[in-house]
Amino acid sequence: MNDRIKAFFAVAAVFLICSAAWASDEAPAFKRLDDMEKIVYGEVGTGGLIDRLNRVEKALFGRELPGTVAERQAALARFVEEGTDTQPSLLFKMSIAEWITEQVSMPVKPIVNRIGSLERKLEGQAMEDGPLAMRLERMLGLLVSEPVVWSSVVVPSGTVVRVSLLETISPSSVTVGDTVKGELTRDVVVGNVLVAPKGSVVEGTVSSVSKPRSFGRPSEVRFAFEELIPPSRQAVPLSVGEAANEAAKAEKAQIAAVGGSLAGAILLGPLGLAGGFLVRGDVKEIPAGSIFHMEVSESTSVLSYPVPEGLISLIEVPDDRLSKDIELSDREVDNL
């Protein structure tokens, strides 16, 4: 048994032994389990609470956890989503493994698929069984010589993020309160610390919807991207501000200079500096893949990945980002 697998068992033991200290009544039992099943399998399971809980624990650890239902779910949440001061969460490690392998994370996919995909890329085939957490540690052992760690870094206000819309938005298909999702098209990095890899989810909300009205007044949808969800799951607040506007304008000018175009970027214009975006009826829909520029609205401390010296070359430099963005935009135009 190698040192990394031994370390996995040691960490898992800490989570199991201390599970009682993490028990919380904040989330109803079924709701908390629903969330874990969506993360692990991509869907909510069926059957009784205990059977479902046993299934998730065995999938992750190869065994059932001790303690009450509340204690076991608290231990699961801490291991999968929250981590500790010294031990990153499973989701954090998963995203870092994906970033090292392909420079993109896939948080919208369930853990079972993400680990299987990683195994196929590295070893040619996915394992049929074995605890998911141990399988991930084994993959990390192939990628980096030292355990993955996290440390706190401040993401400065005004940091620009570039977002690709995940699902098409149209006045006929959304209602007030609907969640709007996008993904990063490039990494968010502070120095040599990776805050959020390309592919990380950005979430927002539809704030108003107006159907077509009399006298030819068009339908409208107002929405805003509100937060970036990095691998640590510590939300980073976003808004449309001067830095985002300037970045979008500069990118459009650079792309136009080489004969390309920028699908979706400030296509709709901001509603003030923090109001988000407006879809009018004369724009029938905003297709998935449309690009938006946002910025961090206030400096935020986030647990992030200090990139080891041997992996520094994976961090994109600004010129590389621009050329990749131009190629992406041309493909997006072809798909419109």
Side-chain angles (χ1 to χ4, degrees):
M1 183 181 296
N2 64 36
D3 291 341
R4 188 176 291 273
I5 299 301
K6 290 179 180 178
F8 159 71
F9 279 116
V11 172
V14 171
F15 279 96
L16 305 188
I17 293 170
C18 298
S19 60
W22 297 325
S24 171
D25 296 327
E26 291 181 2
F30 277 98
K31 173 63 168 64
R32 176 164 261 179
L33 181 57
D34 288 354
D35 292 341
M36 290 299 102
E37 288 176 322
K38 289 176 183 177
I39 290 172
V40 175
Y41 301 111
E43 61 183 7
V44 175
T46 59
L49 177 64
I50 300 300
D51 288 341
R52 290 167 54 197
L53 185 56
N54 291 344
R55 179 174 177 242
V56 175
E57 291 170 346
K58 287 179 179 178
L60 288 171
F61 307 112
R63 55 160 293 184
E64 298 169 14
L65 305 188
T68 66
V69 168
E71 291 166 356
R72 291 164 66 184
Q73 290 190 96
L76 268 181
R78 181 59 63 98
F79 186 86
V80 173
E81 290 188 285
E82 301 166 15
T84 68
D85 291 342
T86 57
Q87 290 295 335
S89 66
L90 178 74
L91 286 175
F92 184 91
K93 292 181 178 180
M94 185 76 251
S95 289
I96 298 308
E98 292 170 334
W99 178 77
I100 295 172
T101 305
E102 290 196 296
Q103 290 73 68
V104 62
S105 178
M106 294 169 281
V108 296
K109 295 183 178 181
I111 287 291
V112 291
N113 292 353
R114 297 170 72 182
I115 291 179
S117 177
L118 189 64
E119 289 171 332
R120 284 189 291 272
K121 289 181 175 70
L122 293 177
E123 299 183 310
Q125 63 181 8
M127 291 181 62
E128 296 297 327
D129 53 20
L132 294 171
M134 186 187 298
R135 289 164 62 186
L136 176 57
E137 291 296 332
R138 189 169 62 85
M139 292 298 100
L140 285 169
L142 299 175
L143 295 170
V144 287
S145 58
E146 298 295 329
V148 170
V149 298
W150 59 11
S151 62
S152 185
V153 66
V154 174
V155 186
S157 62
T159 299
V160 175
V161 300
R162 190 175 186 271
V163 181
S164 175
L165 187 64
L166 282 176
E167 296 182 352
T168 296
I169 296 176
S170 70
S172 62
S173 64
V174 297
T175 59
V176 173
D178 282 355
T179 298
V180 178
K181 290 190 176 183
E183 62 180 7
L184 293 183
T185 67
R186 56 195 184 202
D187 303 337
V188 174
V189 179
V190 177
N192 289 332
V193 178
L194 178 67
V195 175
K198 176 181 176 181
S200 296
V201 173
V202 175
E203 293 186 346
T205 307
V206 175
S207 59
S208 69
V209 179
S210 300
K211 301 300 181 183
R213 292 160 290 174
S214 58
F215 303 107
R217 288 178 294 177
S219 58
E220 293 182 351
V221 175
R222 297 171 187 258
F223 69 96
F225 290 111
E226 297 159 342
E227 56 187 21
L228 163 65
I229 311 298
S232 66
R233 312 283 277 193
Q234 297 170 303
V236 179
L238 301 177
S239 65
V240 181
E242 293 287 357
N245 279 323
E246 290 303 315
K249 291 175 183 177
E251 188 173 342
K252 288 188 72 174
Q254 290 171 314
I255 291 173
V258 296
S261 58
L262 183 59
I266 61 170
L267 174 65
L268 312 172
L271 303 174
L273 292 182
F277 301 92
L278 173 67
V279 184
R280 291 189 179 277
D282 52 346
V283 178
K284 299 303 181 184
E285 62 180 26
I286 303 302
S290 295
I291 300 299
F292 300 87
H293 290 78
M294 306 295 297
E295 67 183 73
V296 175
S297 57
E298 59 183 77
S299 296
T300 305
S301 181
V302 180
L303 286 166
S304 306
Y305 181 53
V307 179
E309 184 176 352
L311 299 178
I312 294 297
S313 61
L314 297 181
I315 298 176
E316 292 180 350
V317 297
D319 288 344
D320 289 340
R321 288 182 174 185
L322 176 59
S323 63
K324 290 179 181 180
D325 289 345
I326 291 174
E327 293 172 3
L328 176 63
S329 298
D330 287 341
R331 289 199 301 272
E332 289 158 354
V333 171
D334 292 339
N335 291 331
L336 291 178

